[in-house]
Amino acid sequence: MNCELNYSVKARINPIFFTAKTAICLMAKAGIPDADKIVHCLKLEDNQPLQNMADSDTILGNAIVVEAKYRTMCSLIEKSGYNICVDLPCGYTPKAIHLTEKNFRFIGLDLPIVAEEFSPIIQSLAAYPKNISFSGVDATNYESLATALRDVDKPFCITTEGMMMYFTESEVDAVISNIRKILDVHGGCWITPDPEVKLQFMLTFRSVFGEDSLGKLTATGNAAMKQSSVANLFNSFILDVENISSSIKTAENLLKLHGLKAERVNFAENMPELSIYRQLTSAQIQQFKDAMRQCHCWIITLDETRKIQENITVPEKSFAMNCTLDDGILKMTLRGRIDSISAPQILAAFETANVDAVKIDCSALEYISSAGMRLLIDIHKSCANGLVLFNVNSSVEKILSQNGFTEMEVNKWKLSNNL
Ligand SMILES: C[S@@+](CC[C@H](N)C(=O)[O-])C[C@H]1O[C@@H](n2cnc3c(N)ncnc32)[C@H](O)[C@@H]1O
């Protein structure tokens, strides 16, 4: 079966990649160097990704958050002591250009749809393109990360900006486990502002626009969830602004389970001057700088004092797919994982045939990510006699039921072990 993949298939499976287009438009609004050139190359001069934001204050508030995170992260990377930055996810930011001008090697990792689109753009804009590479990965998929990093022989700094809040509990657990394995193999540290992102948004909007603007912020959050097609922007790694100290403990405990420890470094103390200050009054700038004193980036490293139970880690099976079409019924056997890497192949196989029903043998299936679940729903809805999964093992069944599959309205959907 011809599994030709195209941009629109990948975009449907991974709508979350649009959030990176929003981010680069905001960076250009803030005046971050080279962001406008990237916007031009992506043909986003009409700022289409920003159109779901209510008004100019909402756009300004979001641009302040994005610039503050970007510049503070760049400053922490430069101070990290490493000279390789593995940016997961890299999105469409100019970080590669900035860091290679400071003698860094830059490795951008993101979903294949982003890595493939962005690589030629950055290669054409950067002064040191040889020090830059990109790979398509799924952060929940260790095999994809290990393959992307197989030639790196020195410790590095992994940076995660704007990703962890989009994950479900099982995904966030998988990503943290993968990053720990990477730190075990390569050494280095993991820097992220993500745990405190909600706090950063709240403090920024309140300090610059006053309490009244918090409604606009909620509307922005809802628009981001709609754009990325995620149910909420919350998991155990993300601090709850109503409950800061207990959620810090929750996130630290999650890291501890994976043999990691975090140092919280003050945002304000590491934040350079921002270009966007040109668009603020001096009172707003001062209030904003003061507010950022309550916010932190997390520098995460291996906790050498704690050995995690290695023997529970079972190697993942590589993805494999077998399909036969029999009288309008597409019979598939899937092995390994349904995630952002494999889902587009499965959808492309489905769409090349004239199919009334799909039956998937899941006996060798190990994991389903959100992209995988979106795919199953998409297939189920678009074929007359629906989709049936059989031989589902207990861990996949748990992921499906944790994500509301048992509550789906679909009456033809079955999770059956006895077909
Ligand atoms: C809000 S953007 C942030 C991008 C960039 N770090 C920035 O600051 O602009 C979220 C990014 O996460 C990426 N992403 C989402 N899920 C992912 C996954 N499972 N694996 C790798 N990247 C993922 C998206 O493609 C997107 O580029």
Side-chain angles (χ1 to χ4, degrees):
M1 193 170 281
N2 176 13
C3 294
E4 190 185 298
L5 306 181
N6 63 39
Y7 189 85
S8 77
V9 169
K10 288 185 195 167
R12 263 167 50 207
I13 298 293
N14 298 298
I16 194 169
F17 90 102
F18 285 114
T19 59
K21 296 207 166 173
T22 304
I24 187 62
C25 290
L26 291 168
M27 288 183 181
K29 287 264 171 216
I32 292 177
D34 298 309
D36 55 341
K37 294 182 195 148
I38 296 172
V39 164
H40 173 75
C41 294
L42 289 167
K43 302 190 173 56
L44 292 174
E45 286 108 330
D46 60 356
N47 281 316
Q48 195 274 332
L50 304 186
Q51 274 164 18
N52 59 7
M53 292 193 184
D55 53 29
S56 55
D57 271 1
T58 310
I59 293 177
L60 179 60
N62 275 273
I64 299 170
V65 171
V66 163
E67 184 182 3
K69 272 197 298 174
Y70 175 82
R71 293 211 192 252
T72 306
M73 285 295 286
C74 285
S75 143
L76 289 172
I77 297 164
E78 286 166 44
K79 290 181 208 162
S80 70
Y82 301 102
N83 61 4
I84 303 175
C85 173
V86 174
D87 200 24
L88 168 67
C90 59
Y92 300 99
T93 81
K95 211 181 263 161
I97 301 176
H98 173 81
L99 288 176
T100 47
E101 283 167 5
K102 308 259 171 186
N103 292 324
F104 269 79
R105 174 175 170 198
F106 181 90
I107 302 169
L109 307 181
D110 207 302
L111 295 171
I113 189 168
V114 176
E116 284 158 20
E117 185 177 25
F118 195 37
S119 176
I121 293 177
I122 280 292
Q123 295 292 341
S124 72
L125 296 175
Y128 304 97
K130 288 203 178 109
N131 296 338
I132 300 174
S133 59
F134 291 91
S135 292
V137 299
D138 181 330
T140 66
N141 179 326
Y142 181 68
E143 199 186 3
S144 71
L145 297 169
T147 306
L149 299 171
R150 65 184 177 276
D151 296 333
V152 188
D153 56 4
K154 282 200 268 174
F156 47 72
C157 172
I158 307 179
T159 49
T160 299
E161 200 178 330
M163 179 174 78
M164 300 302 277
M165 57 293 237
Y166 293 108
F167 291 139
T168 61
E169 288 296 343
S170 67
E171 287 171 326
V172 97
D173 200 63
V175 174
I176 294 174
S177 159
N178 289 344
I179 293 181
R180 192 198 66 87
K181 284 192 228 167
I182 291 172
L183 292 178
D184 257 345
V185 172
H186 295 272
C189 70
W190 175 28
I191 311 182
T192 177
D194 284 3
E196 307 204 12
V197 66
K198 288 192 169 178
L199 184 62
Q200 192 203 348
F201 265 101
M202 200 243 325
L203 294 169
T204 301
F205 272 66
R206 203 167 61 189
S207 63
V208 177
F209 305 117
E211 296 287 342
D212 290 351
S213 62
L214 294 180
K216 286 179 189 159
L217 183 56
T218 311
T220 311
N222 292 338
M225 286 189 271
K226 199 169 163 213
Q227 187 177 49
S228 57
S229 195
V230 296
N232 58 48
L233 297 173
F234 186 74
N235 57 52
S236 308
F237 194 59
I238 305 299
L239 267 51
D240 173 3
V241 290
E242 307 290 338
N243 225 331
I244 306 258
S245 50
S246 77
S247 53
I248 290 176
K249 285 204 181 73
T250 306
E252 283 175 342
N253 283 338
L254 177 60
L255 291 171
K256 204 168 168 188
L257 283 174
H258 290 280
L260 294 167
K261 62 180 185 335
E263 179 196 354
R264 294 173 65 229
V265 294
N266 194 279
F267 219 93
E269 286 167 16
N270 293 283
M271 184 172 69
E273 286 294 290
L274 307 185
S275 316
I276 205 155
Y277 290 163
R278 289 195 290 260
Q279 300 175 45
L280 303 179
T281 64
S282 44
Q284 285 174 317
I285 296 169
Q286 197 49 54
Q287 281 155 212
F288 168 70
K289 285 183 176 174
D290 290 345
M292 288 302 101
R293 295 196 180 286
Q294 298 170 54
C295 201
H296 301 79
C297 285
W298 289 35
I299 302 187
I300 299 165
T301 48
L302 293 174
D303 182 353
E304 306 293 355
T305 62
R306 199 168 179 283
K307 279 256 166 286
I308 71 148
Q309 293 165 298
E310 285 303 339
N311 53 357
I312 58 172
T313 315
V314 180
E316 291 165 357
K317 292 184 192 129
S318 301
F319 176 73
M321 172 174 77
N322 256 313
C323 318
T324 54
L325 186 62
D326 182 7
D327 202 17
I329 300 176
L330 182 66
K331 295 182 177 166
M332 289 184 162
T333 304
L334 299 180
R335 190 185 76 179
R337 303 164 47 95
I338 312 182
D339 59 18
S340 298
I341 305 287
S342 58
Q345 287 179 55
I346 300 168
L347 184 60
F350 169 69
E351 289 187 335
T352 51
N354 204 351
V355 173
D356 300 325
V358 178
K359 293 184 176 177
I360 303 181
D361 181 346
C362 300
S363 47
L365 191 66
E366 291 177 341
Y367 182 84
I368 303 192
S369 73
S370 300
M373 283 181 263
R374 246 188 316 274
L375 166 80
L376 297 184
I377 294 169
D378 208 69
I379 291 180
H380 177 72
K381 285 188 177 160
S382 55
C383 71
N385 292 316
L387 168 70
V388 177
L389 304 180
F390 62 104
N391 292 334
V392 179
N393 72 27
S394 57
S395 60
V396 171
E397 189 163 358
K398 191 170 157 205
I399 297 174
L400 290 171
S401 62
Q402 275 173 349
N403 287 284
F405 265 57
T406 48
E407 290 157 23
M408 277 177 54
E409 34 57 67
V410 281
N411 49 21
K412 290 170 197 152
W413 179 276
K414 289 182 212 157
L415 274 175
S416 162
N417 287 316
N418 53 11
L419 274 192

mmCIF file of all heavy atoms in Angstrom, residues 137-162:
data_model
loop_
_atom_site.group_PDB
_atom_site.id
_atom_site.type_symbol
_atom_site.label_atom_id
_atom_site.label_comp_id
_atom_site.label_asym_id
_atom_site.label_seq_id
_atom_site.Cartn_x
_atom_site.Cartn_y
_atom_site.Cartn_z
ATOM 1 N N VAL A 137 11.148 14.375 15.425
ATOM 2 C CA VAL A 137 11.026 13.414 16.529
ATOM 3 C C VAL A 137 9.615 13.506 17.100
ATOM 4 O O VAL A 137 8.862 14.418 16.773
ATOM 5 C CB VAL A 137 12.012 13.738 17.688
ATOM 6 C CG1 VAL A 137 13.461 13.688 17.225
ATOM 7 C CG2 VAL A 137 11.696 15.094 18.318
ATOM 8 N N ASP A 138 9.304 12.573 17.971
ATOM 9 C CA ASP A 138 8.165 12.739 18.875
ATOM 10 C C ASP A 138 8.769 12.627 20.267
ATOM 11 O O ASP A 138 9.392 11.610 20.594
ATOM 12 C CB ASP A 138 7.122 11.637 18.626
ATOM 13 C CG ASP A 138 5.911 11.790 19.540
ATOM 14 O OD1 ASP A 138 6.069 12.310 20.669
ATOM 15 O OD2 ASP A 138 4.821 11.373 19.144
ATOM 16 N N ALA A 139 8.607 13.669 21.081
ATOM 17 C CA ALA A 139 9.263 13.689 22.395
ATOM 18 C C ALA A 139 8.841 12.515 23.266
ATOM 19 O O ALA A 139 9.560 12.150 24.200
ATOM 20 C CB ALA A 139 8.958 15.011 23.103
ATOM 21 N N THR A 140 7.694 11.913 22.990
ATOM 22 C CA THR A 140 7.267 10.752 23.779
ATOM 23 C C THR A 140 7.925 9.458 23.281
ATOM 24 O O THR A 140 7.746 8.406 23.880
ATOM 25 C CB THR A 140 5.727 10.559 23.743
ATOM 26 O OG1 THR A 140 5.326 10.212 22.410
ATOM 27 C CG2 THR A 140 4.989 11.800 24.198
ATOM 28 N N ASN A 141 8.648 9.547 22.169
ATOM 29 C CA ASN A 141 9.187 8.353 21.510
ATOM 30 C C ASN A 141 10.712 8.338 21.657
ATOM 31 O O ASN A 141 11.424 9.084 20.975
ATOM 32 C CB ASN A 141 8.752 8.418 20.033
ATOM 33 C CG ASN A 141 9.260 7.267 19.207
ATOM 34 O OD1 ASN A 141 10.355 6.757 19.440
ATOM 35 N ND2 ASN A 141 8.481 6.867 18.238
ATOM 36 N N TYR A 142 11.201 7.480 22.568
ATOM 37 C CA TYR A 142 12.642 7.503 22.867
ATOM 38 C C TYR A 142 13.484 7.138 21.644
ATOM 39 O O TYR A 142 14.533 7.740 21.392
ATOM 40 C CB TYR A 142 12.977 6.551 24.029
ATOM 41 C CG TYR A 142 14.458 6.605 24.347
ATOM 42 C CD1 TYR A 142 15.024 7.746 24.902
ATOM 43 C CD2 TYR A 142 15.305 5.546 24.029
ATOM 44 C CE1 TYR A 142 16.383 7.843 25.150
ATOM 45 C CE2 TYR A 142 16.672 5.623 24.280
ATOM 46 C CZ TYR A 142 17.209 6.776 24.839
ATOM 47 O OH TYR A 142 18.549 6.870 25.061
ATOM 48 N N GLU A 143 13.001 6.170 20.882
ATOM 49 C CA GLU A 143 13.772 5.726 19.715
ATOM 50 C C GLU A 143 14.048 6.911 18.773
ATOM 51 O O GLU A 143 15.152 7.072 18.258
ATOM 52 C CB GLU A 143 12.966 4.646 18.991
ATOM 53 C CG GLU A 143 13.773 3.784 18.071
ATOM 54 C CD GLU A 143 12.880 2.823 17.283
ATOM 55 O OE1 GLU A 143 11.636 2.855 17.407
ATOM 56 O OE2 GLU A 143 13.458 2.043 16.512
ATOM 57 N N SER A 144 13.033 7.762 18.574
ATOM 58 C CA SER A 144 13.216 8.893 17.648
ATOM 59 C C SER A 144 14.255 9.877 18.214
ATOM 60 O O SER A 144 15.065 10.436 17.465
ATOM 61 C CB SER A 144 11.883 9.595 17.366
ATOM 62 O OG SER A 144 11.418 10.321 18.497
ATOM 63 N N LEU A 145 14.248 10.062 19.530
ATOM 64 C CA LEU A 145 15.205 11.000 20.145
ATOM 65 C C LEU A 145 16.623 10.424 20.096
ATOM 66 O O LEU A 145 17.583 11.123 19.745
ATOM 67 C CB LEU A 145 14.804 11.281 21.599
ATOM 68 C CG LEU A 145 13.445 11.957 21.807
ATOM 69 C CD1 LEU A 145 13.039 11.935 23.280
ATOM 70 C CD2 LEU A 145 13.481 13.396 21.306
ATOM 71 N N ALA A 146 16.733 9.138 20.430
ATOM 72 C CA ALA A 146 18.069 8.509 20.445
ATOM 73 C C ALA A 146 18.665 8.526 19.038
ATOM 74 O O ALA A 146 19.866 8.785 18.862
ATOM 75 C CB ALA A 146 17.959 7.071 20.967
ATOM 76 N N THR A 147 17.837 8.291 18.033
ATOM 77 C CA THR A 147 18.337 8.314 16.651
ATOM 78 C C THR A 147 18.819 9.719 16.295
ATOM 79 O O THR A 147 19.892 9.888 15.699
ATOM 80 C CB THR A 147 17.209 7.871 15.672
ATOM 81 O OG1 THR A 147 16.726 6.624 16.108
ATOM 82 C CG2 THR A 147 17.691 7.789 14.240
ATOM 83 N N ALA A 148 18.049 10.729 16.682
ATOM 84 C CA ALA A 148 18.427 12.111 16.340
ATOM 85 C C ALA A 148 19.741 12.519 17.009
ATOM 86 O O ALA A 148 20.469 13.359 16.481
ATOM 87 C CB ALA A 148 17.310 13.065 16.753
ATOM 88 N N LEU A 149 20.047 11.907 18.168
ATOM 89 C CA LEU A 149 21.222 12.350 18.944
ATOM 90 C C LEU A 149 22.391 11.366 18.866
ATOM 91 O O LEU A 149 23.375 11.519 19.585
ATOM 92 C CB LEU A 149 20.809 12.555 20.413
ATOM 93 C CG LEU A 149 19.734 13.623 20.632
ATOM 94 C CD1 LEU A 149 19.234 13.615 22.077
ATOM 95 C CD2 LEU A 149 20.275 15.006 20.268
ATOM 96 N N ARG A 150 22.269 10.372 17.972
ATOM 97 C CA ARG A 150 23.262 9.283 18.011
ATOM 98 C C ARG A 150 24.681 9.758 17.720
ATOM 99 O O ARG A 150 25.642 9.156 18.183
ATOM 100 C CB ARG A 150 22.854 8.131 17.084
ATOM 101 C CG ARG A 150 22.823 8.487 15.619
ATOM 102 C CD ARG A 150 22.329 7.339 14.745
ATOM 103 N NE ARG A 150 22.247 7.745 13.375
ATOM 104 C CZ ARG A 150 21.225 8.390 12.825
ATOM 105 N NH1 ARG A 150 20.159 8.659 13.545
ATOM 106 N NH2 ARG A 150 21.244 8.761 11.559
ATOM 107 N N ASP A 151 24.851 10.858 16.954
ATOM 108 C CA ASP A 151 26.209 11.297 16.622
ATOM 109 C C ASP A 151 26.773 12.324 17.603
ATOM 110 O O ASP A 151 27.865 12.840 17.390
ATOM 111 C CB ASP A 151 26.213 11.959 15.225
ATOM 112 C CG ASP A 151 25.829 10.955 14.160
ATOM 113 O OD1 ASP A 151 26.074 9.758 14.386
ATOM 114 O OD2 ASP A 151 25.264 11.379 13.134
ATOM 115 N N VAL A 152 26.028 12.627 18.641
ATOM 116 C CA VAL A 152 26.499 13.679 19.562
ATOM 117 C C VAL A 152 27.342 13.017 20.647
ATOM 118 O O VAL A 152 26.856 12.149 21.371
ATOM 119 C CB VAL A 152 25.304 14.432 20.196
ATOM 120 C CG1 VAL A 152 25.802 15.639 20.976
ATOM 121 C CG2 VAL A 152 24.306 14.852 19.132
ATOM 122 N N ASP A 153 28.613 13.426 20.737
ATOM 123 C CA ASP A 153 29.501 12.716 21.655
ATOM 124 C C ASP A 153 29.949 13.565 22.838
ATOM 125 O O ASP A 153 30.906 13.223 23.526
ATOM 126 C CB ASP A 153 30.717 12.153 20.883
ATOM 127 C CG ASP A 153 31.446 13.262 20.153
ATOM 128 O OD1 ASP A 153 31.057 14.440 20.320
ATOM 129 O OD2 ASP A 153 32.402 12.959 19.415
ATOM 130 N N LYS A 154 29.252 14.698 23.061
ATOM 131 C CA LYS A 154 29.598 15.528 24.226
ATOM 132 C C LYS A 154 28.330 15.836 25.012
ATOM 133 O O LYS A 154 27.235 15.854 24.436
ATOM 134 C CB LYS A 154 30.220 16.850 23.746
ATOM 135 C CG LYS A 154 31.668 16.694 23.330
ATOM 136 C CD LYS A 154 32.365 18.033 23.351
ATOM 137 C CE LYS A 154 32.274 18.672 21.978
ATOM 138 N NZ LYS A 154 32.764 19.978 21.840
ATOM 139 N N PRO A 155 28.445 16.120 26.296
ATOM 140 C CA PRO A 155 27.250 16.501 27.063
ATOM 141 C C PRO A 155 26.632 17.786 26.498
ATOM 142 O O PRO A 155 27.339 18.588 25.886
ATOM 143 C CB PRO A 155 27.778 16.754 28.475
ATOM 144 C CG PRO A 155 29.132 16.181 28.520
ATOM 145 C CD PRO A 155 29.660 16.125 27.120
ATOM 146 N N PHE A 156 25.349 17.962 26.712
ATOM 147 C CA PHE A 156 24.677 19.148 26.170
ATOM 148 C C PHE A 156 23.578 19.639 27.086
ATOM 149 O O PHE A 156 23.221 18.999 28.073
ATOM 150 C CB PHE A 156 24.127 18.861 24.766
ATOM 151 C CG PHE A 156 23.361 17.570 24.643
ATOM 152 C CD1 PHE A 156 22.104 17.422 25.204
ATOM 153 C CD2 PHE A 156 23.909 16.484 23.940
ATOM 154 C CE1 PHE A 156 21.401 16.235 25.065
ATOM 155 C CE2 PHE A 156 23.212 15.293 23.809
ATOM 156 C CZ PHE A 156 21.949 15.170 24.377
ATOM 157 N N CYS A 157 23.066 20.774 26.665
ATOM 158 C CA CYS A 157 21.976 21.400 27.383
ATOM 159 C C CYS A 157 20.704 21.149 26.558
ATOM 160 O O CYS A 157 20.642 21.529 25.394
ATOM 161 C CB CYS A 157 22.374 22.865 27.411
ATOM 162 S SG CYS A 157 21.232 23.965 28.004
ATOM 163 N N ILE A 158 19.719 20.455 27.150
ATOM 164 C CA ILE A 158 18.431 20.260 26.457
ATOM 165 C C ILE A 158 17.512 21.383 26.919
ATOM 166 O O ILE A 158 17.439 21.660 28.126
ATOM 167 C CB ILE A 158 17.758 18.929 26.847
ATOM 168 C CG1 ILE A 158 18.701 17.756 26.647
ATOM 169 C CG2 ILE A 158 16.474 18.710 26.056
ATOM 170 C CD1 ILE A 158 18.068 16.439 27.037
ATOM 171 N N THR A 159 16.825 22.004 25.992
ATOM 172 C CA THR A 159 15.919 23.087 26.384
ATOM 173 C C THR A 159 14.501 22.779 25.913
ATOM 174 O O THR A 159 14.306 22.322 24.787
ATOM 175 C CB THR A 159 16.392 24.417 25.769
ATOM 176 O OG1 THR A 159 16.634 24.219 24.376
ATOM 177 C CG2 THR A 159 17.656 24.886 26.420
ATOM 178 N N THR A 160 13.562 23.005 26.801
ATOM 179 C CA THR A 160 12.151 22.740 26.479
ATOM 180 C C THR A 160 11.350 23.985 26.817
ATOM 181 O O THR A 160 11.260 24.375 27.978
ATOM 182 C CB THR A 160 11.637 21.542 27.303
ATOM 183 O OG1 THR A 160 12.405 20.404 26.950
ATOM 184 C CG2 THR A 160 10.169 21.266 27.011
ATOM 185 N N GLU A 161 10.803 24.583 25.785
ATOM 186 C CA GLU A 161 10.077 25.845 25.977
ATOM 187 C C GLU A 161 8.746 25.724 25.244
ATOM 188 O O GLU A 161 8.713 25.563 24.024
ATOM 189 C CB GLU A 161 10.933 26.942 25.345
ATOM 190 C CG GLU A 161 10.629 28.312 25.808
ATOM 191 C CD GLU A 161 11.594 29.308 25.145
ATOM 192 O OE1 GLU A 161 12.747 28.950 24.833
ATOM 193 O OE2 GLU A 161 11.165 30.437 24.924
ATOM 194 N N GLY A 162 7.662 25.754 26.007
ATOM 195 C CA GLY A 162 6.346 25.769 25.368
ATOM 196 C C GLY A 162 5.858 24.423 24.901
ATOM 197 O O GLY A 162 5.182 24.347 23.877
#
